[in-house]
Amino acid sequence: MTAVDEDRTSRTGAERERPQRRRRERTERGFSAIRTGLTAWLSRPLASFHLVLALTGLLTVLGIVMVLSASSVSSLDPKTGSGVYSLFKKHVLFVGIGCVVFWIGLRVPLKHFRRLSPTAMVGSLGLLLLVLTPLGSNINGSQGWFKLGLFSFQPVEVGKVALALWGAHILVTKNAVIHQWRHLLVPVVPAALLMFALVMAEPDLGATVTLAVVLLALLWFSGAPKRLFGVVLAGGLAGVLVLALISPYRLARVLSFLSPDTDIKGAAYQATQAKYALADGGLFGMGLGQGQSNWGYLPNVQNDFIFALIGEELGFVGCLVVLGLFAGVAIVGLRIATRNLDPWIRIVAGTLTVFLVSQAAINIGYVVGLLPVTGVTLPLISYGGTSLVITMLIMGILANAARHEPEAVAALRSQGPGKFGRLLWLPAPDPYRPPAKRKSPTGRGGASKAAARPAPRSARPAPAQERRRSVREPSRRSTAARGAAVRGTGTRGSTPKRAPAPRRGNW
């Protein structure tokens, strides 16, 4: 090959690489622009607030669509005269009530929630006790419901929020002595154990597990030592094992989880049908309303196993969208918790976020076969009354906490409430003010115990010689003039002046 051919070949190779390099540079510039724009948007004062609103709206709309698809067949009952939209209409009604509750959680100042948290905790324990009496109703083998006409109410859902708000209030109040075990555990842990006992008396293992998640999150965000969680987790696993062994239907669920092929038509029927539904969906799903699980193949598909229907009708892509939305809830909730200054808001935001995401993880976990079936709903997506309304209340509290971030408070108080604030009649949040330090208790004779302790060397008064040196010496002329004024004589040609009265404490 001649030199001319080699030069021509090198030019051809360079010309081929040039478009590829340009495309690579354009792609890098595009990603850089997206990253810069996203970073700039997230740095806005109300970014967390807008993200909570968007995630709540997307999950709620997705739940409405999936409940319509899941309940259209099971709602039809010629004996009772119910049509195909009966459950869907009830779900839309619950969504409307949830929107009002969401606005209440967003509108009411957070200090009022903290002030009412002890009353809410006592009321929740009272309701959990009353539901075990003949006033309560047994639904699906659990004495945990109050029947109110065509509607039902589950008090344990209120107890979860009450435990989070009240527990954060107690732990923040005891912040100075929280390093001591008795102040860390009492009275939060005994009250939580009492709530666990009342819920297990219904019995409702799924609600007990979520309550345990709330307790662990409270202790974690309050700064409890890590060795405590090992003891709590070991005790919790031992308790779940004992409860599973003493109850026949719980033992059947555990055995069906360990060996799902042994009882396909019995205890493992729902879990097996959920896996079939996920497998039939494939990558993009069979389409809305085209799933086979609606026709009775998967019982309670609109409640506990709606994620299986999402996989069947929307495919793997739909499942990824749901997982991404709950991952967004986790990120935004923890972002709110870390950006707030009020320790009570930090603990409440972190605890409620962990509770919601853990409930979604438990539901998705037993649908895909990673956990035993516990009967926990998928937040904001599953059909339900009390669970849906309480979940929207939690999202409203998170949105309220997002408006209390320092940058958001400064922007809302200086620039006005904004579009959403004017639309929802939201007041400007108050800036965080640390509580005043309490005075140390006084001892006998009114003397403070702290005053009896020797002051540190840096805080002790200087010796007398150093104090004398620190005082600026007056000039000789001013000293002589002051002395002459005191004696009543002045300098030659001057009028004697009266000496000014010395200021107290200067000399």
Side-chain angles (χ1 to χ4, degrees), residues 129-173:
L129 186 62
L130 284 177
V131 80
L132 299 176
T133 64
L135 296 176
S137 301
N138 193 307
I139 300 178
N140 296 328
S142 176
Q143 182 82 10
W145 303 80
F146 288 112
K147 291 287 290 185
L148 304 174
L150 299 177
F151 302 98
S152 57
F153 170 71
Q154 196 174 10
V156 67
E157 299 295 335
V158 181
K160 299 172 185 177
V161 182
L163 178 60
L165 300 179
W166 174 78
H169 168 67
I170 295 298
L171 293 174
V172 169
T173 305

mmCIF file of all heavy atoms in Angstrom, residues 129-173:
data_model
loop_
_atom_site.group_PDB
_atom_site.id
_atom_site.type_symbol
_atom_site.label_atom_id
_atom_site.label_comp_id
_atom_site.label_asym_id
_atom_site.label_seq_id
_atom_site.Cartn_x
_atom_site.Cartn_y
_atom_site.Cartn_z
ATOM 1 N N LEU A 129 -60.404 -1.506 71.921
ATOM 2 C CA LEU A 129 -61.023 -2.298 72.983
ATOM 3 C C LEU A 129 -62.507 -2.513 72.705
ATOM 4 O O LEU A 129 -63.047 -3.610 72.931
ATOM 5 C CB LEU A 129 -60.818 -1.608 74.332
ATOM 6 C CG LEU A 129 -61.268 -2.362 75.586
ATOM 7 C CD1 LEU A 129 -60.484 -3.667 75.722
ATOM 8 C CD2 LEU A 129 -61.084 -1.516 76.825
ATOM 9 N N LEU A 130 -63.198 -1.481 72.195
ATOM 10 C CA LEU A 130 -64.630 -1.610 71.918
ATOM 11 C C LEU A 130 -64.913 -2.549 70.749
ATOM 12 O O LEU A 130 -65.965 -3.190 70.709
ATOM 13 C CB LEU A 130 -65.226 -0.235 71.617
ATOM 14 C CG LEU A 130 -65.458 0.702 72.800
ATOM 15 C CD1 LEU A 130 -65.975 2.041 72.311
ATOM 16 C CD2 LEU A 130 -66.430 0.073 73.806
ATOM 17 N N VAL A 131 -63.997 -2.640 69.794
ATOM 18 C CA VAL A 131 -64.253 -3.479 68.631
ATOM 19 C C VAL A 131 -64.247 -4.959 68.990
ATOM 20 O O VAL A 131 -64.784 -5.794 68.246
ATOM 21 C CB VAL A 131 -63.199 -3.180 67.535
ATOM 22 C CG1 VAL A 131 -61.886 -3.901 67.815
ATOM 23 C CG2 VAL A 131 -63.725 -3.545 66.152
ATOM 24 N N LEU A 132 -63.663 -5.303 70.144
ATOM 25 C CA LEU A 132 -63.669 -6.695 70.595
ATOM 26 C C LEU A 132 -64.961 -7.062 71.308
ATOM 27 O O LEU A 132 -65.172 -8.237 71.613
ATOM 28 C CB LEU A 132 -62.473 -6.942 71.531
ATOM 29 C CG LEU A 132 -61.087 -6.716 70.914
ATOM 30 C CD1 LEU A 132 -60.006 -6.902 71.967
ATOM 31 C CD2 LEU A 132 -60.861 -7.662 69.746
ATOM 32 N N THR A 133 -65.790 -6.079 71.578
ATOM 33 C CA THR A 133 -67.085 -6.323 72.212
ATOM 34 C C THR A 133 -68.130 -6.644 71.136
ATOM 35 O O THR A 133 -67.825 -6.598 69.933
ATOM 36 C CB THR A 133 -67.501 -5.086 73.027
ATOM 37 O OG1 THR A 133 -67.700 -3.985 72.138
ATOM 38 C CG2 THR A 133 -66.414 -4.728 74.050
ATOM 39 N N PRO A 134 -69.345 -6.959 71.533
ATOM 40 C CA PRO A 134 -70.400 -7.188 70.519
ATOM 41 C C PRO A 134 -70.673 -6.002 69.611
ATOM 42 O O PRO A 134 -71.367 -6.162 68.597
ATOM 43 C CB PRO A 134 -71.631 -7.521 71.379
ATOM 44 C CG PRO A 134 -71.072 -8.116 72.618
ATOM 45 C CD PRO A 134 -69.798 -7.373 72.874
ATOM 46 N N LEU A 135 -70.149 -4.814 69.931
ATOM 47 C CA LEU A 135 -70.311 -3.686 69.028
ATOM 48 C C LEU A 135 -69.532 -3.859 67.734
ATOM 49 O O LEU A 135 -69.869 -3.254 66.711
ATOM 50 C CB LEU A 135 -69.878 -2.385 69.724
ATOM 51 C CG LEU A 135 -70.698 -1.956 70.941
ATOM 52 C CD1 LEU A 135 -70.080 -0.713 71.569
ATOM 53 C CD2 LEU A 135 -72.148 -1.693 70.546
ATOM 54 N N GLY A 136 -68.465 -4.652 67.778
ATOM 55 C CA GLY A 136 -67.666 -4.896 66.593
ATOM 56 C C GLY A 136 -68.259 -5.983 65.718
ATOM 57 O O GLY A 136 -69.166 -6.720 66.120
ATOM 58 N N SER A 137 -67.754 -6.074 64.498
ATOM 59 C CA SER A 137 -68.234 -7.056 63.520
ATOM 60 C C SER A 137 -67.074 -7.907 63.041
ATOM 61 O O SER A 137 -65.932 -7.429 62.938
ATOM 62 C CB SER A 137 -68.898 -6.355 62.321
ATOM 63 O OG SER A 137 -69.983 -5.565 62.736
ATOM 64 N N ASN A 138 -67.386 -9.154 62.747
ATOM 65 C CA ASN A 138 -66.377 -10.100 62.257
ATOM 66 C C ASN A 138 -66.478 -10.162 60.736
ATOM 67 O O ASN A 138 -67.493 -10.555 60.183
ATOM 68 C CB ASN A 138 -66.608 -11.485 62.874
ATOM 69 C CG ASN A 138 -65.429 -12.405 62.642
ATOM 70 O OD1 ASN A 138 -64.985 -12.599 61.511
ATOM 71 N ND2 ASN A 138 -64.930 -12.992 63.720
ATOM 72 N N ILE A 139 -65.405 -9.747 60.058
ATOM 73 C CA ILE A 139 -65.325 -9.768 58.602
ATOM 74 C C ILE A 139 -64.057 -10.510 58.209
ATOM 75 O O ILE A 139 -62.956 -10.154 58.658
ATOM 76 C CB ILE A 139 -65.321 -8.347 58.004
ATOM 77 C CG1 ILE A 139 -66.602 -7.607 58.405
ATOM 78 C CG2 ILE A 139 -65.190 -8.389 56.494
ATOM 79 C CD1 ILE A 139 -66.648 -6.182 57.907
ATOM 80 N N ASN A 140 -64.217 -11.533 57.397
ATOM 81 C CA ASN A 140 -63.084 -12.341 56.927
ATOM 82 C C ASN A 140 -62.277 -12.930 58.078
ATOM 83 O O ASN A 140 -61.040 -12.980 58.045
ATOM 84 C CB ASN A 140 -62.168 -11.513 56.018
ATOM 85 C CG ASN A 140 -62.865 -11.067 54.751
ATOM 86 O OD1 ASN A 140 -63.737 -11.769 54.220
ATOM 87 N ND2 ASN A 140 -62.492 -9.903 54.249
ATOM 88 N N GLY A 141 -62.973 -13.330 59.139
ATOM 89 C CA GLY A 141 -62.306 -13.993 60.255
ATOM 90 C C GLY A 141 -61.628 -13.067 61.230
ATOM 91 O O GLY A 141 -60.854 -13.531 62.085
ATOM 92 N N SER A 142 -61.884 -11.750 61.182
ATOM 93 C CA SER A 142 -61.243 -10.796 62.080
ATOM 94 C C SER A 142 -62.306 -9.920 62.716
ATOM 95 O O SER A 142 -63.112 -9.288 62.012
ATOM 96 C CB SER A 142 -60.230 -9.939 61.318
ATOM 97 O OG SER A 142 -59.676 -8.948 62.157
ATOM 98 N N GLN A 143 -62.297 -9.843 64.049
ATOM 99 C CA GLN A 143 -63.219 -8.996 64.796
ATOM 100 C C GLN A 143 -62.606 -7.606 64.922
ATOM 101 O O GLN A 143 -62.292 -7.124 66.008
ATOM 102 C CB GLN A 143 -63.473 -9.609 66.185
ATOM 103 C CG GLN A 143 -64.460 -8.868 67.059
ATOM 104 C CD GLN A 143 -65.899 -9.192 66.755
ATOM 105 O OE1 GLN A 143 -66.189 -10.122 65.997
ATOM 106 N NE2 GLN A 143 -66.816 -8.434 67.329
ATOM 107 N N GLY A 144 -62.445 -6.944 63.794
ATOM 108 C CA GLY A 144 -61.757 -5.663 63.802
ATOM 109 C C GLY A 144 -62.470 -4.577 63.050
ATOM 110 O O GLY A 144 -61.821 -3.628 62.592
ATOM 111 N N TRP A 145 -63.799 -4.675 62.932
ATOM 112 C CA TRP A 145 -64.549 -3.731 62.127
ATOM 113 C C TRP A 145 -65.777 -3.223 62.882
ATOM 114 O O TRP A 145 -66.372 -3.950 63.670
ATOM 115 C CB TRP A 145 -65.015 -4.381 60.824
ATOM 116 C CG TRP A 145 -63.906 -4.951 59.998
ATOM 117 C CD1 TRP A 145 -63.289 -6.157 60.190
ATOM 118 C CD2 TRP A 145 -63.278 -4.353 58.874
ATOM 119 N NE1 TRP A 145 -62.320 -6.347 59.253
ATOM 120 C CE2 TRP A 145 -62.291 -5.248 58.422
ATOM 121 C CE3 TRP A 145 -63.470 -3.158 58.193
ATOM 122 C CZ2 TRP A 145 -61.489 -4.981 57.328
ATOM 123 C CZ3 TRP A 145 -62.661 -2.884 57.107
ATOM 124 C CH2 TRP A 145 -61.696 -3.784 56.688
ATOM 125 N N PHE A 146 -66.132 -1.976 62.604
ATOM 126 C CA PHE A 146 -67.402 -1.415 63.028
ATOM 127 C C PHE A 146 -68.280 -1.259 61.787
ATOM 128 O O PHE A 146 -67.873 -0.587 60.822
ATOM 129 C CB PHE A 146 -67.223 -0.051 63.699
ATOM 130 C CG PHE A 146 -66.611 -0.112 65.072
ATOM 131 C CD1 PHE A 146 -65.338 0.394 65.299
ATOM 132 C CD2 PHE A 146 -67.310 -0.654 66.129
ATOM 133 C CE1 PHE A 146 -64.769 0.349 66.554
ATOM 134 C CE2 PHE A 146 -66.754 -0.697 67.397
ATOM 135 C CZ PHE A 146 -65.485 -0.205 67.608
ATOM 136 N N LYS A 147 -69.454 -1.858 61.807
ATOM 137 C CA LYS A 147 -70.385 -1.739 60.684
ATOM 138 C C LYS A 147 -71.259 -0.510 60.881
ATOM 139 O O LYS A 147 -71.961 -0.376 61.895
ATOM 140 C CB LYS A 147 -71.251 -2.989 60.580
ATOM 141 C CG LYS A 147 -70.491 -4.240 60.156
ATOM 142 C CD LYS A 147 -70.105 -4.201 58.690
ATOM 143 C CE LYS A 147 -71.309 -4.346 57.807
ATOM 144 N NZ LYS A 147 -70.954 -4.424 56.371
ATOM 145 N N LEU A 148 -71.211 0.387 59.904
ATOM 146 C CA LEU A 148 -72.005 1.608 59.931
ATOM 147 C C LEU A 148 -72.878 1.642 58.682
ATOM 148 O O LEU A 148 -72.577 2.311 57.694
ATOM 149 C CB LEU A 148 -71.109 2.848 59.985
ATOM 150 C CG LEU A 148 -70.107 2.910 61.155
ATOM 151 C CD1 LEU A 148 -69.185 4.107 61.000
ATOM 152 C CD2 LEU A 148 -70.853 2.962 62.480
ATOM 153 N N GLY A 149 -73.958 0.875 58.717
ATOM 154 C CA GLY A 149 -74.822 0.785 57.548
ATOM 155 C C GLY A 149 -74.143 0.027 56.426
ATOM 156 O O GLY A 149 -73.722 -1.131 56.589
ATOM 157 N N LEU A 150 -74.034 0.674 55.260
ATOM 158 C CA LEU A 150 -73.360 0.048 54.123
ATOM 159 C C LEU A 150 -71.854 0.170 54.189
ATOM 160 O O LEU A 150 -71.151 -0.429 53.367
ATOM 161 C CB LEU A 150 -73.862 0.684 52.810
ATOM 162 C CG LEU A 150 -75.360 0.529 52.517
ATOM 163 C CD1 LEU A 150 -75.716 1.275 51.233
ATOM 164 C CD2 LEU A 150 -75.753 -0.945 52.419
ATOM 165 N N PHE A 151 -71.335 0.911 55.157
ATOM 166 C CA PHE A 151 -69.896 1.141 55.263
ATOM 167 C C PHE A 151 -69.352 0.460 56.514
ATOM 168 O O PHE A 151 -70.096 0.140 57.455
ATOM 169 C CB PHE A 151 -69.590 2.643 55.300
ATOM 170 C CG PHE A 151 -70.093 3.388 54.097
ATOM 171 C CD1 PHE A 151 -71.297 4.080 54.149
ATOM 172 C CD2 PHE A 151 -69.371 3.398 52.921
ATOM 173 C CE1 PHE A 151 -71.767 4.776 53.055
ATOM 174 C CE2 PHE A 151 -69.838 4.082 51.815
ATOM 175 C CZ PHE A 151 -71.030 4.769 51.879
ATOM 176 N N SER A 152 -68.056 0.265 56.514
ATOM 177 C CA SER A 152 -67.373 -0.342 57.652
ATOM 178 C C SER A 152 -66.148 0.495 57.999
ATOM 179 O O SER A 152 -65.576 1.173 57.132
ATOM 180 C CB SER A 152 -66.962 -1.789 57.343
ATOM 181 O OG SER A 152 -66.142 -1.839 56.187
ATOM 182 N N PHE A 153 -65.747 0.431 59.253
ATOM 183 C CA PHE A 153 -64.648 1.247 59.765
ATOM 184 C C PHE A 153 -63.699 0.347 60.541
ATOM 185 O O PHE A 153 -64.132 -0.456 61.380
ATOM 186 C CB PHE A 153 -65.195 2.365 60.657
ATOM 187 C CG PHE A 153 -64.145 3.109 61.420
ATOM 188 C CD1 PHE A 153 -63.269 3.965 60.772
ATOM 189 C CD2 PHE A 153 -64.032 2.965 62.798
ATOM 190 C CE1 PHE A 153 -62.302 4.642 61.471
ATOM 191 C CE2 PHE A 153 -63.072 3.647 63.509
ATOM 192 C CZ PHE A 153 -62.200 4.495 62.846
ATOM 193 N N GLN A 154 -62.401 0.469 60.256
ATOM 194 C CA GLN A 154 -61.376 -0.350 60.897
ATOM 195 C C GLN A 154 -60.521 0.537 61.804
ATOM 196 O O GLN A 154 -59.709 1.328 61.320
ATOM 197 C CB GLN A 154 -60.508 -1.040 59.849
ATOM 198 C CG GLN A 154 -59.684 -2.192 60.384
ATOM 199 C CD GLN A 154 -58.966 -2.929 59.270
ATOM 200 O OE1 GLN A 154 -58.940 -2.471 58.131
ATOM 201 N NE2 GLN A 154 -58.386 -4.071 59.586
ATOM 202 N N PRO A 155 -60.661 0.458 63.117
ATOM 203 C CA PRO A 155 -59.966 1.396 64.012
ATOM 204 C C PRO A 155 -58.457 1.233 64.047
ATOM 205 O O PRO A 155 -57.754 2.156 64.442
ATOM 206 C CB PRO A 155 -60.600 1.113 65.377
ATOM 207 C CG PRO A 155 -61.126 -0.268 65.286
ATOM 208 C CD PRO A 155 -61.557 -0.453 63.865
ATOM 209 N N VAL A 156 -57.942 0.070 63.644
ATOM 210 C CA VAL A 156 -56.497 -0.111 63.718
ATOM 211 C C VAL A 156 -55.779 0.829 62.758
ATOM 212 O O VAL A 156 -54.625 1.221 63.006
ATOM 213 C CB VAL A 156 -56.134 -1.587 63.429
ATOM 214 C CG1 VAL A 156 -56.433 -1.963 61.989
ATOM 215 C CG2 VAL A 156 -54.672 -1.857 63.748
ATOM 216 N N GLU A 157 -56.424 1.225 61.662
ATOM 217 C CA GLU A 157 -55.786 2.158 60.734
ATOM 218 C C GLU A 157 -55.575 3.514 61.389
ATOM 219 O O GLU A 157 -54.553 4.172 61.158
ATOM 220 C CB GLU A 157 -56.643 2.298 59.475
ATOM 221 C CG GLU A 157 -56.843 1.011 58.696
ATOM 222 C CD GLU A 157 -55.555 0.488 58.110
ATOM 223 O OE1 GLU A 157 -54.629 1.304 57.884
ATOM 224 O OE2 GLU A 157 -55.455 -0.735 57.861
ATOM 225 N N VAL A 158 -56.534 3.946 62.196
ATOM 226 C CA VAL A 158 -56.361 5.194 62.939
ATOM 227 C C VAL A 158 -55.274 5.046 63.993
ATOM 228 O O VAL A 158 -54.506 5.979 64.262
ATOM 229 C CB VAL A 158 -57.692 5.621 63.582
ATOM 230 C CG1 VAL A 158 -57.552 6.937 64.336
ATOM 231 C CG2 VAL A 158 -58.777 5.748 62.530
ATOM 232 N N GLY A 159 -55.193 3.846 64.596
ATOM 233 C CA GLY A 159 -54.179 3.617 65.619
ATOM 234 C C GLY A 159 -52.762 3.731 65.095
ATOM 235 O O GLY A 159 -51.853 4.151 65.831
ATOM 236 N N LYS A 160 -52.532 3.376 63.841
ATOM 237 C CA LYS A 160 -51.183 3.494 63.272
ATOM 238 C C LYS A 160 -50.721 4.942 63.226
ATOM 239 O O LYS A 160 -49.596 5.268 63.624
ATOM 240 C CB LYS A 160 -51.165 2.879 61.872
ATOM 241 C CG LYS A 160 -51.507 1.396 61.831
ATOM 242 C CD LYS A 160 -51.658 0.908 60.401
ATOM 243 C CE LYS A 160 -52.132 -0.543 60.361
ATOM 244 N NZ LYS A 160 -52.355 -1.021 58.980
ATOM 245 N N VAL A 161 -51.593 5.829 62.762
ATOM 246 C CA VAL A 161 -51.235 7.247 62.692
ATOM 247 C C VAL A 161 -51.119 7.847 64.090
ATOM 248 O O VAL A 161 -50.214 8.635 64.376
ATOM 249 C CB VAL A 161 -52.269 8.016 61.852
ATOM 250 C CG1 VAL A 161 -51.890 9.477 61.730
ATOM 251 C CG2 VAL A 161 -52.397 7.385 60.471
ATOM 252 N N ALA A 162 -52.026 7.458 64.981
ATOM 253 C CA ALA A 162 -51.971 7.983 66.348
ATOM 254 C C ALA A 162 -50.684 7.565 67.048
ATOM 255 O O ALA A 162 -50.067 8.370 67.760
ATOM 256 C CB ALA A 162 -53.188 7.492 67.134
ATOM 257 N N LEU A 163 -50.258 6.322 66.843
ATOM 258 C CA LEU A 163 -49.006 5.865 67.454
ATOM 259 C C LEU A 163 -47.819 6.648 66.918
ATOM 260 O O LEU A 163 -46.910 7.012 67.680
ATOM 261 C CB LEU A 163 -48.823 4.370 67.192
ATOM 262 C CG LEU A 163 -47.527 3.739 67.718
ATOM 263 C CD1 LEU A 163 -47.435 3.884 69.231
ATOM 264 C CD2 LEU A 163 -47.438 2.274 67.311
ATOM 265 N N ALA A 164 -47.810 6.950 65.619
ATOM 266 C CA ALA A 164 -46.699 7.710 65.040
ATOM 267 C C ALA A 164 -46.648 9.136 65.596
ATOM 268 O O ALA A 164 -45.575 9.617 65.990
ATOM 269 C CB ALA A 164 -46.824 7.732 63.520
ATOM 270 N N LEU A 165 -47.792 9.814 65.647
ATOM 271 C CA LEU A 165 -47.812 11.203 66.119
ATOM 272 C C LEU A 165 -47.515 11.292 67.609
ATOM 273 O O LEU A 165 -46.712 12.125 68.052
ATOM 274 C CB LEU A 165 -49.178 11.830 65.816
ATOM 275 C CG LEU A 165 -49.596 11.887 64.347
ATOM 276 C CD1 LEU A 165 -50.985 12.522 64.232
ATOM 277 C CD2 LEU A 165 -48.603 12.644 63.515
ATOM 278 N N TRP A 166 -48.144 10.423 68.399
ATOM 279 C CA TRP A 166 -47.951 10.478 69.854
ATOM 280 C C TRP A 166 -46.550 10.011 70.240
ATOM 281 O O TRP A 166 -45.901 10.596 71.113
ATOM 282 C CB TRP A 166 -49.013 9.626 70.533
ATOM 283 C CG TRP A 166 -48.813 9.498 72.012
ATOM 284 C CD1 TRP A 166 -49.106 10.424 72.968
ATOM 285 C CD2 TRP A 166 -48.265 8.364 72.711
ATOM 286 N NE1 TRP A 166 -48.779 9.941 74.209
ATOM 287 C CE2 TRP A 166 -48.264 8.681 74.092
ATOM 288 C CE3 TRP A 166 -47.789 7.124 72.301
ATOM 289 C CZ2 TRP A 166 -47.792 7.798 75.040
ATOM 290 C CZ3 TRP A 166 -47.319 6.249 73.259
ATOM 291 C CH2 TRP A 166 -47.326 6.582 74.622
ATOM 292 N N GLY A 167 -46.068 8.947 69.602
ATOM 293 C CA GLY A 167 -44.726 8.462 69.922
ATOM 294 C C GLY A 167 -43.663 9.495 69.610
ATOM 295 O O GLY A 167 -42.711 9.676 70.388
ATOM 296 N N ALA A 168 -43.794 10.203 68.484
ATOM 297 C CA ALA A 168 -42.837 11.259 68.168
ATOM 298 C C ALA A 168 -42.908 12.383 69.194
ATOM 299 O O ALA A 168 -41.875 12.945 69.587
ATOM 300 C CB ALA A 168 -43.119 11.796 66.764
ATOM 301 N N HIS A 169 -44.108 12.721 69.652
ATOM 302 C CA HIS A 169 -44.259 13.768 70.669
ATOM 303 C C HIS A 169 -43.557 13.376 71.967
ATOM 304 O O HIS A 169 -42.831 14.195 72.561
ATOM 305 C CB HIS A 169 -45.745 14.013 70.912
ATOM 306 C CG HIS A 169 -46.037 14.840 72.123
ATOM 307 N ND1 HIS A 169 -45.702 16.168 72.220
ATOM 308 C CD2 HIS A 169 -46.621 14.504 73.317
ATOM 309 C CE1 HIS A 169 -46.067 16.637 73.403
ATOM 310 N NE2 HIS A 169 -46.624 15.652 74.087
ATOM 311 N N ILE A 170 -43.734 12.149 72.411
ATOM 312 C CA ILE A 170 -43.101 11.711 73.666
ATOM 313 C C ILE A 170 -41.588 11.673 73.522
ATOM 314 O O ILE A 170 -40.845 12.136 74.408
ATOM 315 C CB ILE A 170 -43.650 10.325 74.064
ATOM 316 C CG1 ILE A 170 -45.142 10.420 74.398
ATOM 317 C CG2 ILE A 170 -42.879 9.766 75.257
ATOM 318 C CD1 ILE A 170 -45.474 11.301 75.566
ATOM 319 N N LEU A 171 -41.082 11.144 72.421
ATOM 320 C CA LEU A 171 -39.637 11.002 72.254
ATOM 321 C C LEU A 171 -38.956 12.354 72.102
ATOM 322 O O LEU A 171 -37.824 12.533 72.560
ATOM 323 C CB LEU A 171 -39.352 10.117 71.042
ATOM 324 C CG LEU A 171 -39.782 8.653 71.203
ATOM 325 C CD1 LEU A 171 -39.598 7.893 69.903
ATOM 326 C CD2 LEU A 171 -38.992 7.971 72.327
ATOM 327 N N VAL A 172 -39.616 13.323 71.470
ATOM 328 C CA VAL A 172 -39.038 14.665 71.359
ATOM 329 C C VAL A 172 -39.060 15.360 72.713
ATOM 330 O O VAL A 172 -38.112 16.059 73.077
ATOM 331 C CB VAL A 172 -39.794 15.473 70.293
ATOM 332 C CG1 VAL A 172 -39.401 16.936 70.356
ATOM 333 C CG2 VAL A 172 -39.501 14.915 68.921
ATOM 334 N N THR A 173 -40.128 15.168 73.475
ATOM 335 C CA THR A 173 -40.193 15.775 74.805
ATOM 336 C C THR A 173 -39.096 15.241 75.715
ATOM 337 O O THR A 173 -38.537 15.984 76.531
ATOM 338 C CB THR A 173 -41.573 15.502 75.429
ATOM 339 O OG1 THR A 173 -42.602 15.960 74.544
ATOM 340 C CG2 THR A 173 -41.709 16.208 76.765
#
